Amino acid sequence: MLPQEKIVQILTNKGLKLATAESCTGGLIAKLITDVPGSSAMFDMGIVSYANEIKHRFLGVPNEILDTVGAVSFETAKAMARGVCEAANADISTATTGIAGPGGGTDEKPVGLVYMSIYFKENDRQITKKLNLSGSRDEIRNKTADIVLETLLKEIE
């Protein structure tokens, strides 16, 4: 069974809702979840927020964070996860922000740098990780989605 299939099964059985906020993964996590039959019981919303303005307006990421540490940061990933959880009135949320390439990287923030966050509303708990991935754009996006789903599954099992 794929991680997303187990996630749908577990969250549905527990009566919990999941929401996603995605930048570098472009909706891939939401797609993988909604590929699973019956996912509508536990998934109401995903937001793809490429632009900083969307991160701020729809996810509540403070402009101060975006202006000081940038969109690709621990702080932004954490704020995105909290923001989408609130917007969707979900129980659990995931967020991804990073540089999938092939361009856009810098010495400070190279291609393959991704931050992911998972937020649990019930106990106000958050898991945020920095990933340093390699590969093509698709490989970086796929690896990110896999890590998010595997991390989420581990936490809810």
Side-chain angles (χ1 to χ4, degrees), residues 67-87:
D67 292 343
T68 56
V69 294
V72 180
S73 64
F74 271 111
E75 295 86 349
T76 297
K78 289 176 79 168
M80 287 172 64
R82 285 177 176 271
V84 77
C85 199
E86 185 176 313

Side-chain angles (χ1 to χ4, degrees), residues 47-81:
I47 292 179
V48 176
S49 57
Y50 250 40
N52 284 355
E53 178 188 342
I54 302 303
K55 287 176 180 71
H56 173 70
R57 189 164 22 131
F58 291 97
L59 299 173
V61 178
N63 280 324
E64 180 185 339
I65 287 175
L66 295 167
D67 292 343
T68 56
V69 294
V72 180
S73 64
F74 271 111
E75 295 86 349
T76 297
K78 289 176 79 168
M80 287 172 64

